[in-house]
Structures are given as structure tokens and as C-alpha cells.
């Protein structure tokens, strides 16, 4: 195939072998945020460039070099959304969702950033994110952090750790900024080009650098926490008390800043050690100033976003560890002895699907010997083979063989068969559609 007909670099196809797992992960995440009273908002993928420049910040990686920006046919500058918060705030303002209300919103979908593609880093990637508006207490921060922890557990991830920090108010950060600049200037020789540029414009962003050559300068920088204003300090203290009371472990990472400018006070990240440099799977924080910055009434807010590619990669990893391999596409495979019972076999299959909507049942097609049909059943990954033969059908019975267990084939009537299959079908309830 000529390369001009291949997908773009950093734009992945999610193939049938992976889509069921994606759907399962998305479903579990969705259910968890719903369980905390969040409601879905669906946002456009394309917005005016100005929205992102004004919210994310002009001097950030995203706005400086990662956005897919182009002019439409009218010469208006548009950008494929690189993140979801800006659009969510825009929509909340535009539709008056913030008037006398404290909406809790979640969104999910593709985001676009022109980055160097590598493991865990794509140009089109997917996020699930959520935002809470109008509440400024640390209890909201704590609850969101607990919710994100539950989201990760809901998809089977236990091997992730929580890091938190406080960025304080913009005023407190300004004082800190000068001390940080002084420190960085002393080590100007080891700063890379980006850092040197940021030294004047946005020195806090230097702390977020992933360049290993700068690790030491960053580690020896003055701590942002020492510069906190009193109120932010109390806010952060209460947040930590609430996490302690909830039994939620965390580490305070004084160098944790976020790559976007709109954050204030609480920031947090869930990090895995299994994804190399792309270890952050979920990140969030307060952005009490953003709504006003975009023209609304001053409204505190907090939000997070999780990268679904990275979550799925970790789930695949965890499942491989559990020696289970990728999720099979079917639960049961129907082997049909000869062509005579096919009509009845198909009717039976339809009845089973009626009674067990979550059951994934595949019929053998294209004939074949008993042995070759069983081979296909095995390769399908199904847990059970159903064996339909003429004489047994006449007695109202169907053969059932556990392909992953030791037991012999058993002959069951239809009700007993449904009973057996119900276990696999309910376990898979949250894959294949539904909800
Ligand atoms: P990183 O430091 O890895 O570049 P970021 O700070 O730019 O991340 P955010 O803007 O906070 O990331 O986005 C939240 C989450 O979205 C990240 O923690 C990550 O899981 C995911 N994410 C961000 N950029 C990408 C990308 N290019 N490809 C895949 N996932 C991404
Ligand atoms: Mg980034």
C-alpha cells in the first residue's frame, strides 16, 4: 500500500481485537463517574484557536507547538481540541450552566496534539475528564481524588500511585517565581532551549520538564510549598486530612506542576511505573481563575483528565500478568453435527440470545468435521462449546463442554443450559453495549 494511503503518524486504528477491551474500559470509567453524580457533556472537537490560547496559556508546550491549527475557508483560525477543559468551560458559560448551580460534568473523546509519537504518546489520543464548578472547598478535591482512585480500581489497576501538590494562588506563585528564577539562572548552563526561554516567561513550567539532563537543577529548586499563602496552606492541609481519613495513600511531590497555566492550589496525578516516561495516566487540579479568565463570573473549579490509551495499555499489561491474555471475543461456540439440525440450532441460538442479552455466542459456519469444529471453538477463545446433534435435539438436549476446564461433556436441557451460560454472560455484562 502506498504510504500516502496509510494512517497519519500518531493516529491509531483501534482494531476489532482491541475494541471490546476499549469499550469495557470506557464503560467502567463512565459508570464510576456516574456513581458520583456527574453528568455527561458532549463537546465539539473543533473550537476557535483563541479559546485554547486564552485558557491553556500562550507559553505552554500545547499552545506553542502541539496544536493542530488551521484556517477554515473563511480564514478563521480553528484548532482541533488538545484537551477538554477549555471547551467544557466555554460550553458552561455559553449555556448558562453556572448560574446558581454547581454542575459536575464529564466528557470523553479524542484529543489532538502534534507531539513526537512514542509509547503512550500519540497525536490523536482519547481522554475521559470531569469538571466540578462553583465549589472551592478541599472536600471537593478529596472526593474527586477518591473518585479517580475508584475509576482506576474499576478497570483493575492497583499498581498506580497518587501524587499531590499545591500551587497556591497566582499571587503566592509570583513571589515564588522570582526565587525560582534566581535558582535557575545560577544553573543556566544545564538548561535546555525550552527552559532557557521559559526562564523569563514562565519559569514554573521548567519544573515540568521531562529532560533527564535537568533533573538535578529541578530537584534542588526551592519548594513551591514553602511559598504557599496561608489560605492555600490550610486548604492543602485539610485535603491531606481528608485523604488520610479516607485511607487513601499519597505522596506530596513538591515539583508537581501541570503543563497548563490555568491551575491553582490542588494538583494531583496518578502515576504508573510501567509506562516509562509516559507514566502519568490521570492528572488534574483546581483552576479557580479560568472561568473568569474566559469572561465568566469568578467561579472556582476543579477537574481531571485521564489518557485512555495509557489506561488500556496498563489493563492489557495487568491481564497478561494474570496470565489471562486478551479478552476473547466470544463466550460460547456452537458446534453443529451435520447440516440437518442447523435450522433448529439457529433457532436455539436466537432463543439463548433473547434470554441472555450479554452472551456472546458464535455459531460454527462452513461445516467441518467434529474435530475441526472443536479446533475452531478452541481458537475462538470461548469458554464453552455447545454441541448440537440431531438425536439429542429430539430429546430437547444440548451438549455443553467447558473448553477451559477438565470436566466431560454434559447434556443439558435449555433451562439448565441458560443457567450455566448466565455466569459467563453476566461477567461480561459490561462489554458489548448496554448502558
Ligand atoms: P505528559 O506530561 O505525559 O505530556 P500532559 O501533562 O501533557 O502529559 P495532560 O494535558 O494533563 O497531560 O493530559 C492528561 C492525561 O492525558 C495525561 O496524563 C495522559 O495520560 C494523557 N495524555 C496527554 N497527552 C497524551 C498523548 N499525546 N498521548 C496519549 N495520552 C496523552
Ligand atoms: Mg504533554
Amino acid at each position: 500500500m502506498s504510504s500516502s494511503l496509510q494512517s497519519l503518524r500518531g493516529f491509531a486504528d483501534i482494531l476489532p481485537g482491541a475494541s471490546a477491551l476499549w469499550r469495557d474500559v470506557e464503560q467502567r470509567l463512565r459508570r464510576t463517574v456516574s456513581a458520583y453524580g456527574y453528568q455527561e457533556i458532549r463537546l465539539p472537537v473543533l473550537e476557535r484557536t483563541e479559546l485554547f490560547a486564552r485558557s491553556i496559556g500562550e507559553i505552554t508546550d500545547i499552545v506553542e507547538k502541539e496544536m493542530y491549527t488551521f484556517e477554515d475557508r473563511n480564514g478563521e483560525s480553528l484548532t482541533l481540541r488538545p484537551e477538554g477543559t477549555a471547551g467544557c468551560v466555554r460550553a458552561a458559560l455559553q449555556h448558562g450552566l453556572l448560574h446558581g448551580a454547581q454542575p459536575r460534568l464529564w466528557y470523553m473523546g479524542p484529543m489532538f496534539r502534534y507531539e513526537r509519537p512514542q509509547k503512550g504518546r500519540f497525536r490523536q489520543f482519547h481522554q475521559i475528564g470531569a469538571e466540578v464548578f462553583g465549589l472551592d472547598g478541599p472536600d471537593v478535591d478529596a472526593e474527586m481524588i477518591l473518585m479517580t482512585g475508584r475509576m482506576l480500581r474499576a478497570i483493575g489497576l492497583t499498581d498506580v500511585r497518587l501524587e499531590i501538590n499545591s500551587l497556591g494562588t497566582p499571587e503566592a506563585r509570583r513571589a515564588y517565581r522570582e526565587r525560582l528564577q534566581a535558582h535557575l539562572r545560577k544553573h543556566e548552563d544545564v538548561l535546555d532551549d525550552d527552559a532557557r526561554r521559559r526562564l523569563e516567561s514562565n519559569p514554573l513550567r521548567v519544573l515540568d520538564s521531562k529532560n533527564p539532563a535537568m533533573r538535578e537543577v529541578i530537584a534542588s529548586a526551592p519548594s513551591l510549598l514553602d511559598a504557599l499563602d496561608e489560605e492555600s496552606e490550610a486548604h492543602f492541609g485539610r485535603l491531606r486530612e481528608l485523604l488520610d481519613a479516607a485511607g487513601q495513600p499519597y505522596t506530596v511531590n513538591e515539583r508537581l506542576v501541570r503543563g497548563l497555566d490555568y491551575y491553582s492550589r490542588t494538583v494531583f496525578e496518578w502515576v504508573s511505573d510501567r509506562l516509562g516516561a509516559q507514566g502519568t495516566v490521570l492528572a488534574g487540579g483546581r483552576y479557580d481563575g479560568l472561568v473568569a479568565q474566559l469572561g465568566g463570573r469568578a467561579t472556582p473549579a476543579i477537574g481531571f483528565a485521564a489518557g485512555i490509551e495509557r489506561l488500556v495499555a496498563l489493563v492489557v499489561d495487568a491481564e497478561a500478568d494474570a496470565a489471562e491474555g486478551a479478552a476473547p471475543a466470544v463466550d460460547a461456540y456452537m458446534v453443529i453435527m451435520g447440516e440437518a439440525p442447523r435450522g433448529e440450532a439457529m433457532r436455539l441460538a436466537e432463543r439463548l440470545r433473547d434470554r441472555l442479552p450479554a452472551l456472546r455466542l458464535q455459531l460454527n459456519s462452513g461445516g467441518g468435521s467434529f474435530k475441526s469444529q472443536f479446533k475452531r471453538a478452541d481458537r475462538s477463545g470461548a469458554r464453552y462449546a455447545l454441541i448440537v446433534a440431531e438425536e439429542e435435539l429430539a430429546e430437547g438436549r444440548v451438549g455443553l463442554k467447558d473448553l477451559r476446564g477438565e470436566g466431560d461433556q454434559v447434556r443439558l436441557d435449555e433451562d439448565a443450559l441458560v443457567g450455566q451460560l448466565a455466569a459467563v454472560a453476566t461477567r461480561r455484562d459490561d462489554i458489548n453495549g448496554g448502558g
Side-chain angles (χ1 to χ4, degrees):
M1 191 163 137
S2 93
S3 70
S4 63
L5 289 182
Q6 307 237 330
S7 67
L8 299 170
R9 211 160 97 80
F11 287 66
D13 297 308
I14 297 163
L15 298 174
S19 58
L21 177 59
W22 270 74
R23 200 164 48 227
D24 185 41
V25 166
E26 289 165 353
Q27 184 91 317
R28 287 168 195 266
L29 297 172
R30 251 199 301 262
R31 282 198 181 159
T32 309
V33 289
S34 301
Y36 284 75
Y38 287 68
Q39 290 183 297
E40 185 181 14
I41 183 165
R42 299 194 181 198
L43 301 159
V45 163
L46 202 56
E47 300 267 7
R48 292 197 175 80
T49 303
E50 191 196 348
L51 173 68
F52 302 112
R54 277 179 53 190
S55 55
I56 297 168
E58 298 272 6
I59 307 152
T60 55
D61 282 346
I62 294 179
V63 173
E64 279 181 334
K65 53 189 188 198
E66 293 176 0
M67 294 203 305
Y68 277 90
T69 297
F70 59 91
E71 284 186 3
D72 73 1
R73 289 169 195 277
N74 271 325
E76 182 162 21
S77 181
L78 306 180
T79 294
L80 281 169
R81 63 180 184 192
E83 55 94 64
T85 301
C88 193
V89 172
R90 194 243 342 113
L93 287 173
Q94 183 175 337
H95 302 288
L97 304 186
L98 306 181
H99 295 324
Q102 288 88 36
R104 292 168 188 241
L105 306 172
W106 68 269
Y107 60 83
M108 181 153 59
M111 307 293 162
F112 304 86
R113 296 184 193 177
Y114 194 80
E115 302 198 65
R116 191 167 71 76
Q118 53 197 291
K119 189 182 175 204
R121 197 174 287 289
F122 305 87
R123 289 180 170 173
Q124 174 174 328
F125 61 99
H126 298 77
Q127 285 184 337
I128 180 168
E131 324 285 349
V132 180
F133 295 100
L135 298 167
D136 63 3
D139 55 323
V140 182
D141 310 24
E143 198 196 37
M144 178 170 278
I145 289 172
L146 295 178
M147 175 174 83
T148 55
R150 185 178 293 275
M151 289 169 69
L152 299 174
R153 288 196 303 281
I155 57 173
L157 302 183
T158 46
D159 207 7
V160 278
R161 57 171 201 280
L162 172 64
E163 297 190 351
I164 62 173
N165 194 21
S166 176
L167 303 182
T169 58
E171 297 76 51
R173 277 210 299 281
R174 232 165 281 149
Y176 168 74
R177 190 187 139 117
E178 279 166 31
R179 292 180 24 223
L180 178 62
Q181 268 171 338
H183 170 81
L184 295 175
R185 273 197 204 102
K186 267 190 291 181
H187 301 276
E188 210 165 343
D189 48 318
V190 293
L191 301 185
D192 59 21
D193 287 348
D194 271 347
R196 231 167 262 158
R197 206 153 30 87
R198 299 224 155 103
L199 183 53
E200 301 310 324
S201 56
N202 195 353
L204 254 78
R205 293 276 297 110
V206 177
L207 298 179
D208 194 38
S209 167
K210 310 261 178 324
N211 184 348
M214 286 167 35
R215 200 171 293 152
E216 246 172 71
V217 206
I218 292 172
S220 61
S223 165
L224 188 52
L225 283 182
D226 296 336
L228 281 196
D229 54 291
E230 229 167 87
E231 263 184 68
S232 295
E233 200 175 309
H235 186 107
F236 195 50
R238 183 67 182 142
L239 168 63
R240 288 190 300 196
E241 279 171 17
L242 289 170
L243 292 176
D244 290 338
Q248 172 61 60
Y250 58 83
T251 53
V252 174
N253 174 359
E254 296 169 46
R255 317 284 161 214
L256 181 62
V257 293
R258 309 278 317 106
L260 300 81
D261 274 355
Y262 50 60
Y263 288 105
S264 55
R265 294 202 171 145
T266 308
V267 288
F268 62 97
E269 287 191 355
W270 286 93
V271 187
S272 161
D273 292 324
R274 293 182 169 229
L275 294 170
Q278 275 61 249
T280 303
V281 293
L282 187 154
R286 265 201 174 275
Y287 51 94
D288 292 341
L290 180 61
V291 175
Q293 201 175 306
L294 290 180
R297 229 180 297 164
T299 306
I302 180 168
F304 76 85
I308 299 181
E309 280 78 4
R310 293 183 195 179
L311 294 177
V312 167
L314 287 178
V315 170
V316 169
D317 230 46
E319 285 190 354
D321 272 10
E324 285 185 8
V330 296
D331 302 310
Y333 189 100
M334 194 180 278
V335 168
I336 304 165
M337 303 309 298
E339 271 313 297
R342 176 164 291 271
E344 185 51 38
M346 291 181 100
R347 269 200 297 281
L348 169 65
E350 292 305 317
R351 281 198 305 276
L352 291 174
R353 292 184 180 116
D354 284 342
R355 294 178 68 177
L356 297 168
L359 177 70
R360 300 168 310 163
L361 171 63
Q362 186 178 332
L363 270 63
N364 183 74
S365 306
S369 67
F370 190 69
K371 201 171 149 201
S372 69
Q373 290 194 45
F374 254 92
K375 232 185 228 162
R376 280 181 224 146
D378 198 47
R379 241 183 286 136
S380 76
R383 168 78 188 273
Y384 290 111
L386 310 185
I387 302 104
V388 176
E390 213 168 4
E391 316 85 76
E392 284 161 10
L393 267 186
E395 297 166 17
R397 286 174 191 275
V398 178
L400 179 80
K401 170 114 177 76
D402 185 345
L403 294 170
R404 315 290 151 200
E406 300 284 276
D408 287 333
Q409 183 180 321
V410 291
R411 285 172 181 76
L412 304 173
D413 66 21
E414 200 171 311
D415 285 339
L417 183 62
V418 167
Q420 278 286 321
L421 295 176
V424 278
T426 41
R427 225 180 317 123
R428 295 236 154 254
D429 191 20
D430 24 19
I431 300 194
N432 286 345

